[in-house]
Amino acid sequence: MKKLVVLFTAILAFTITTNAQQFITKNGKISFYSDGPLEKIEAHNSQVNAALNTETGAIVFKVLMKSFIFEKALMQEHFNENYVESDKFPNSTLKGKVTNAKEIDFSKDGTYEADIEGELTIHGITKNVKEKGTFTISKDGIHGESKFMVKLADFDISIPGAVTGKIAEEIEITVDVMLKPYKK
Amino acid sequence: MKNWLKVFAFAAIIGTLAIAYMWFFVYNKPHKDFEKANPDYVISAAECYNHYSKDKNTEENNYTGKVLQISGTPTSIESSDSTVVVVFAFNSGMFGDEGIRCTMLKSHNEKAKKLTSSSSIIIKGFCSGYNDTDVILEQCSLITK
């Protein structure tokens, strides 16, 4: 009988592990936008790493700061050299959890609200964040979208004195990722 | 013409030229043309990936932010929307294949889509760094041998 229980537990554990699905992308898109009195700032990054474990709800994003492309070369230079200091802090990350993962049926097509909590690291500063997003599940995978605001001062990104008040102190971040099942 | 008028006219011309210079060559200066840029380093794709994956900190300063010209055999070509990425995979990890990912310039998308994983190619682009899984090259162009 004991052997049977052990065998049953082993089979159950194996089934749970194989069902635990990892969804990934390396072509995720993150853009940011700010509309200050002096100028609009917009930049796009289309080489974002993202992974979601649908069983545990664990979610990870990794972004190379130098991969943000701006319309103006001068803005891109200032962004890398003066604002985010990308030589010193090359990556930004979000490590967190979809807290309502249990309420999302990842096997059924549809659009679901997602509550995401985690640690956002930009410019070497880590802050706890709580944001909302949506997951649209289809045969193509999981399409994750989110839009949220980030305060530059929270991440120790200072606006040079000459342009204080002319550049927005908060920027809007848009996340758009198409996660596909990861096959080992 | 009165002297003060001459001085004023001269100052106005200099001022206009200075503003025009700032507008065209500083504020609106064009992005670097990576297709025409001379590479800072010419290396093989494998050599480039190995440097980053083995000794990230040393190479972070060498190749990151530089124009690299790499050669090797691509393992896959990914195409989505208007973005084409040429991939050289050397390893496997939590995010799948790991290696070098080259986002092509739009003008090179069609040529890149026709690449096969059996022929050796040369690609030039701006290296934006290593994200612990891949070396990322942006604004890449194919070099015809």
Side-chain angles (χ1 to χ4, degrees), chain B residues 85-141:
Chain B
V85 180
V86 175
V87 183
F88 298 88
F90 297 103
N91 217 334
S92 183
M94 145 183 196
F95 284 98
D97 286 342
E98 297 181 354
I100 303 179
R101 298 176 61 81
C102 312
T103 310
M104 303 308 293
L105 281 167
K106 286 203 168 58
S107 54
H108 284 256
N109 277 356
E110 290 310 313
K111 263 192 273 175
K113 278 185 197 169
K114 287 180 196 139
L115 290 173
T116 57
S117 53
S118 57
S119 53
S120 171
I121 56 163
I122 301 173
I123 281 186
K124 182 170 71 179
F126 171 76
C127 178
S128 64
Y130 179 63
N131 59 16
D132 290 332
T133 61
D134 299 277
V135 180
I136 306 290
L137 261 62
E138 301 280 359
Q139 311 195 45
C140 297
S141 48

Side-chain angles (χ1 to χ4, degrees), chain A residues 44-84:
Chain A
H44 302 271
N45 187 331
S46 57
Q47 292 248 39
V48 175
N49 276 6
L52 166 72
N53 184 316
T54 54
E55 194 62 37
T56 61
I59 193 160
V60 185
F61 287 89
K62 193 146 204 184
V63 186
L64 268 181
M65 299 311 270
K66 276 199 167 82
S67 281
F68 276 103
I69 312 285
F70 289 68
E71 190 198 332
K72 287 191 168 73
L74 187 71
M75 275 186 197
Q76 197 163 320
E77 252 177 55
H78 286 172
F79 171 78
N80 284 305
E81 289 167 15
N82 308 336
Y83 291 76
V84 296

Side-chain angles (χ1 to χ4, degrees), chain A residues 2 5 27 50 76 78 85 108 131 141 145 147 174 182:
Chain A
K2 246 186 191 173
V5 172
N27 288 333
Q76 197 163 320
H78 286 172
E85 299 176 271
K108 198 176 160 193
E131 305 298 345
E145 287 173 292
K147 215 172 235 192
T174 307
Y182 172 43

Side-chain angles (χ1 to χ4, degrees), chain A residues 122-138:
Chain A
I122 304 173
H123 194 224
I125 309 278
T126 303
K127 292 270 171 200
N128 287 323
V129 290
K130 216 172 166 180
E131 305 298 345
K132 290 215 174 281
T134 57
F135 285 130
T136 304
I137 293 146
S138 69

Side-chain angles (χ1 to χ4, degrees), chain B residues 9-28:
Chain B
F10 184 70
I13 292 166
I14 295 292
T16 314
L17 285 175
I19 290 168
Y21 175 82
M22 290 294 282
W23 180 257
F24 289 110
F25 299 104
V26 181
Y27 184 68
N28 280 318

Side-chain angles (χ1 to χ4, degrees), chain A residues 104-177:
Chain A
I104 301 171
D105 186 352
F106 288 101
S107 61
K108 198 176 160 193
D109 287 5
T111 303
Y112 303 83
E113 286 252 326
D115 298 319
I116 298 154
E117 269 184 58
E119 292 180 332
L120 177 64
T121 306
I122 304 173
H123 194 224
I125 309 278
T126 303
K127 292 270 171 200
N128 287 323
V129 290
K130 216 172 166 180
E131 305 298 345
K132 290 215 174 281
T134 57
F135 285 130
T136 304
I137 293 146
S138 69
K139 60 174 181 6
D140 298 328
I142 303 171
H143 184 203
E145 287 173 292
S146 181
K147 215 172 235 192
F148 58 95
M149 302 299 287
V150 163
K151 239 189 193 157
L152 296 180
D154 284 350
F155 295 93
D156 215 6
I157 298 169
S158 47
I159 299 170
V163 288
T164 308
K166 291 170 190 154
I167 285 178
E169 287 169 10
E170 267 193 318
I171 55 163
E172 184 187 76
I173 313 263
T174 307
V175 182
D176 182 339
V177 290

